[in-house]
Amino acid sequence: MVGAMPVNLIPKFFNGAMESHNGDDCESQVFIGSRVKCNEDFGTVKYIGEVQGYKGIWYGVEWDNAERGKHDGFVEDVQYFKTTKPGAGSFVRPNKIAPFTTCAEAIRRYYGDREDETVAAHRRTVINEWKREMGAPFIEMVGFEKIHQKQKFDRLQEVCVHDQNISRAGDVAALCPNVRSLDVSQNLFSNWREIIELSAQLPLKEIDVSKNRMAIDIPEETLEQLSIHFASLEKINISVCDYEWSDVLALSHLWPKINEIIAAYNRITIINPPAVTLRTLTILRLDGNPIESWCEVINLGLKNLKVLSLNDCRIEEIRFKDTKPDAKASVFENLEVLFLNRNKIKDWRSISELNKLKSLKKLYFLKNPIQYEEDYDTGSQLIIAKIGNLQELNGSCITRELRRGSEYDYMKRYGAEWKKGDEQFHFEHCRFQELIDKYGVPDDSLLVKQNKDTTLTSQLLEITIKDENGKILKKKFPSTMAVQKLVTLAQRLFSKGKIGTPFLYIQDDQMHSDVIMDNVMKDLAFFSIKNGDTILVKFR
């Protein structure tokens, strides 16, 4: 009868609240260097002992958030400990810190107590019927519960125990041996020994240890020997761990087959190339680190890298100093995706330099100082024209028509400077000669610069643009605007449900015919566009 009982109907009597959080007394587990939590604040224990003028034992803590502190560890002429940040320290009583737990206990408590109420009610009904049939109303179905719990935990492959006051590994292998992805972020691990212990017990492919401040007190030679426990690991998140790049390199000896590292919002400023590690790395995310120099980024090397994320750093300019203007850089040969949002890039030459990345296909570039000089569409056109291999910008696909229009406008804007033959021009516009070879030299009439201080109000033409379905847009345009910009606008506004490329025709009601605007490099004045004219958009 027991063997025939369905697993999902076995009763559940386990109450996680009956289990001890720590096993041992909490106070005996705290040592110098322990990570502790008080209310919502995290800190590191720097002192354990008495404080002059106060009874009992105190913990001297340096808080991660310095605003939580009251002093530097110096109280009433006595130096009990020293903080690394001014005013980040204070004393707390042992009973004020959150109780520790193990990863195994946190998993058991978090995943063992959750159950659908409908299933639970049905299970209780079945058990009660069995008790009546057996004439044993007081029987406990403990054996069934153990079978049910064991099978439930065996099925776990992805586990998240974020912010559960975990300080030790515990026996996770006996509880849930098949976990492949583990999130133990924002817990109370004080060093890497417990993380190594976790990985030794589980066949992990992914682990998130972010927001844990763990000391690295193991020699690199030993870390390399312990890498056997991370043989399956492909992805790790060590964000907000207060690490420098040297710490990442030291830890990299643990990860022989790592594919992706997320090390965002640490203290990385100086980057040294890895000597023997990170050869399998293809994705690196360093967002939010105070990296100022592109030279440090180049030091990464990493020939197999395909995705590099540098959002929210402090990079001001991009230069490949050892590479000629029209050549490709020897670094980042396989880099396809680059994130540079919210940096401090302040010159367009930096964008031209990115054309030297021979495999770059996708760029995310928003809210940099240089972009405040132009409207979004114009800035995007400049980026597209400057980087020849780019297929996607800020998540939007670059169509053939958009690229051609961007390159036309770029040539018109800078053609006059190109004709001056200034050697510096080729550094600022690495692709320009390539575009001349592709499209030819633009007409001089298109290269006349407008005085930025001159008002264009008198030169604006009110034009009606409509498609064959009758959709209409009325807008004012300068007579000096290239036809290609109108083509780009028409593509964006009228292409829904259409196939092909938009062609523009000047509607002439007197002649009962339409005049095609067949040279998109010319401006509106070339086609004698007047106020009130209508331009028809046809897709073919």
Side-chain angles (χ1 to χ4, degrees):
M1 182 175 180
V2 173
M5 184 178 184
V7 172
N8 63 347
L9 297 181
I10 298 177
K12 187 175 193 320
F13 300 108
F14 173 77
N15 183 357
M18 298 293 291
E19 194 169 7
S20 169
H21 284 285
N22 296 311
D24 303 321
D25 180 68
C26 178
E27 187 171 334
S28 66
Q29 297 183 41
V30 179
F31 51 87
I32 302 298
S34 284
R35 295 284 293 166
V36 293
K37 180 181 178 183
C38 181
N39 297 323
E40 297 302 316
D41 292 298
F42 290 80
T44 302
V45 175
K46 294 293 187 76
Y47 171 82
I48 301 175
E50 296 181 350
V51 176
Q52 185 175 326
Y54 299 90
K55 294 181 179 180
I57 299 298
W58 293 81
Y59 295 155
V61 178
E62 179 172 356
W63 301 102
D64 296 353
N65 178 9
E67 294 181 1
R68 170 68 170 80
K70 298 178 180 179
H71 49 71
D72 299 342
F74 189 85
V75 180
E76 295 182 0
D77 299 326
V78 179
Q79 184 78 61
Y80 293 94
F81 62 96
K82 290 184 179 180
T83 60
T84 57
K85 292 178 290 185
S90 72
F91 290 103
V92 295
R93 288 290 192 184
N95 63 350
K96 295 297 183 180
I97 69 168
F100 297 129
T101 189
T102 68
C103 187
E105 289 167 351
I107 294 171
R108 183 181 291 109
R109 184 169 61 248
Y110 187 72
Y111 288 90
D113 286 346
R114 295 188 300 175
E115 180 176 58
D116 183 82
E117 184 56 36
T118 304
V119 174
H122 184 48
R123 184 178 296 151
R124 287 193 295 270
T125 301
V126 172
I127 293 299
N128 289 334
E129 290 179 357
W130 283 2
K131 288 180 179 180
R132 284 195 298 272
E133 292 177 6
M134 296 167 62
F138 301 106
I139 191 170
E140 293 187 8
M141 312 298 282
V142 176
F144 296 142
E145 169 58 23
K146 289 182 178 179
I147 294 172
H148 170 65
Q149 290 283 13
K150 177 63 177 171
Q151 293 192 1
K152 177 191 287 188
F153 287 117
D154 281 350
R155 291 195 293 267
L156 285 176
Q157 293 193 13
E158 296 184 9
V159 166
C160 176
V161 280
H162 166 86
D163 194 12
Q164 296 294 309
N165 305 329
I166 300 169
S167 63
R168 293 176 290 120
D171 192 358
V172 290
L175 180 66
C176 46
N178 297 311
V179 172
R180 301 290 190 272
S181 176
L182 179 62
D183 182 344
V184 288
S185 58
Q186 197 168 306
N187 277 289
L188 299 174
F189 297 108
S190 59
N191 58 60
W192 275 84
R193 289 177 176 82
E194 297 300 326
I195 302 301
I196 294 169
E197 175 64 23
L198 281 171
S199 195
Q201 297 184 57
L202 301 171
L204 293 176
K205 288 189 174 182
E206 299 181 11
I207 187 168
D208 185 343
V209 297
S210 61
K211 298 184 179 180
N212 284 282
R213 296 201 176 184
M214 297 176 286
I216 306 171
D217 52 5
I218 305 173
E220 290 185 5
E221 296 78 7
T222 306
L223 291 174
E224 190 170 355
Q225 294 171 1
L226 293 169
S227 67
I228 188 173
H229 301 308
F230 294 85
S232 301
L233 192 71
E234 298 175 358
K235 177 180 178 180
I236 190 165
N237 189 342
I238 51 173
S239 299
V240 199
C241 288
D242 204 36
Y243 285 150
E244 297 181 345
W245 182 249
S246 58
D247 299 317
V248 178
L249 287 184
L251 291 170
S252 67
H253 291 276
L254 281 173
W255 317 316
K257 297 181 180 178
I258 198 70
N259 175 262
E260 178 176 356
I261 294 177
I262 307 173
Y265 296 93
N266 282 292
R267 293 187 293 113
I268 298 171
T269 55
I270 305 299
I271 296 176
N272 295 315
V276 295
T277 60
L278 303 182
R279 292 178 178 176
T280 59
L281 192 68
T282 60
I283 303 173
L284 178 60
R285 304 187 186 276
L286 297 176
D287 308 282
N289 283 285
I291 302 169
E292 296 182 356
S293 172
W294 184 255
C295 294
E296 302 298 336
V297 177
I298 291 177
N299 285 342
L300 285 169
L302 303 174
K303 290 190 175 182
N304 292 316
L305 198 65
K306 292 185 177 181
V307 178
L308 176 59
S309 187
L310 297 168
N311 294 326
D312 299 295
C313 294
R314 301 176 185 175
I315 299 167
E316 294 187 357
E317 67 176 26
I318 297 170
R319 298 289 188 273
F320 295 94
K321 295 182 179 179
D322 297 330
T323 307
K324 294 180 180 180
D326 57 350
K328 297 298 181 182
S330 59
V331 296
F332 301 134
E333 295 178 1
N334 295 297
L335 187 67
E336 297 179 358
V337 184
L338 179 61
F339 292 82
L340 286 169
N341 296 321
R342 297 176 297 278
N343 274 271
K344 297 184 177 182
I345 296 172
K346 55 188 179 183
D347 65 346
W348 284 108
R349 178 177 171 179
S350 292
I351 302 301
S352 296
E353 291 283 320
L354 292 179
N355 188 58
K356 297 176 182 179
L357 294 172
K358 67 178 182 181
S359 299
L360 187 63
K361 297 177 181 177
K362 299 180 181 181
L363 175 66
Y364 292 81
F365 191 84
L366 293 168
K367 296 187 178 180
N368 282 273
I370 188 63
Q371 293 175 287
Y372 301 142
E373 298 178 4
E374 309 284 352
D375 61 65
Y376 179 79
D377 287 341
T378 302
S380 297
Q381 284 187 316
L382 283 172
I383 295 171
I384 292 167
K386 284 173 172 285
I387 307 175
N389 291 330
L390 210 59
Q391 298 176 7
E392 189 176 297
L393 177 61
N394 299 327
S396 297
C397 181
I398 299 171
T399 63
R400 184 177 62 180
E401 292 78 14
L402 178 57
R403 172 162 291 284
R404 185 175 67 236
S406 299
E407 292 171 347
Y408 280 165
D409 284 346
Y410 178 58
M411 292 176 67
K412 176 183 175 182
R413 177 168 177 166
Y414 294 103
E417 291 184 46
W418 170 77
K419 287 195 172 186
K420 293 178 181 178
D422 186 352
E423 185 177 347
Q424 186 62 29
F425 180 88
H426 298 290
F427 290 94
E428 298 288 340
H429 306 276
C430 302
R431 275 198 82 214
F432 208 88
Q433 186 59 51
E434 176 189 338
L435 296 177
I436 293 295
D437 295 340
K438 180 178 180 180
Y439 296 111
V441 179
D443 291 346
D444 287 344
S445 61
L446 300 175
L447 305 181
V448 178
K449 282 191 171 183
Q450 293 289 334
N451 189 333
K452 291 185 177 180
D453 297 327
T454 302
T455 176
L456 297 178
T457 304
S458 61
Q459 302 176 39
L460 292 178
L461 304 172
E462 187 174 59
I463 299 171
T464 299
I465 306 174
K466 70 177 184 179
D467 68 0
E468 294 174 286
N469 296 327
K471 185 177 179 180
I472 293 176
L473 170 71
K474 283 189 176 183
K475 193 174 177 68
K476 290 184 177 182
F477 301 96
S479 60
T480 55
M481 189 178 76
V483 172
Q484 177 58 46
K485 279 203 171 183
L486 273 186
V487 173
T488 302
L489 179 64
Q491 178 78 33
R492 189 166 70 245
L493 296 178
F494 300 106
S495 62
K496 188 174 182 180
K498 305 289 196 314
I499 299 175
T501 302
F503 287 81
L504 305 185
Y505 297 82
I506 305 170
Q507 202 168 52
D508 191 333
D509 294 332
Q510 293 182 349
M511 299 295 295
H512 301 290
S513 63
D514 300 328
V515 179
I516 187 170
M517 304 172 74
D518 54 358
N519 190 338
V520 294
M521 287 287 288
K522 300 293 184 180
D523 56 22
L524 298 181
F526 177 84
F527 290 97
S528 302
I529 299 290
K530 304 181 298 297
N531 259 319
D533 277 354
T534 298
I535 294 177
L536 183 63
V537 180
K538 298 180 181 180
F539 285 80
R540 66 183 189 188

